[in-house]
Amino acid sequence: AVDGHLLQPRLRSASRASEAAPRAPQPSTQQLTQLAIYSAVPFIGFGFADNLIMILAGDMIDSTIGIALGLTTLAAAGLGNLISDVAGPRP
């Protein structure tokens, strides 16, 4: 265990160092908007691909294995989701 009395001087010196460090300027609204769009595009692409795989796999399961095993459409959709999660795109 770390003794709190030994740690306090280090914390104080680190606090003083961070107060003395120069601050970065605040980003503009345009920069924040560009960052939001840049960050959102991969998630939209991932969501589209993930849902496409899930729908196609669920439909294939429903029309083949689902009929043979008597699975409900919801069970086939759940298995399609499982396939999409395991074999789908990685973020």
Side-chain angles (χ1 to χ4, degrees), residues 61 71-80:
I61 290 169
L71 296 176
T72 64
T73 302
L74 188 58
L79 290 173

Side-chain angles (χ1 to χ4, degrees), residues 59-77:
D59 187 47
M60 184 63 68
I61 290 169
D62 192 33
S63 62
T64 56
I65 301 170
I67 293 173
L69 298 177
L71 296 176
T72 64
T73 302
L74 188 58

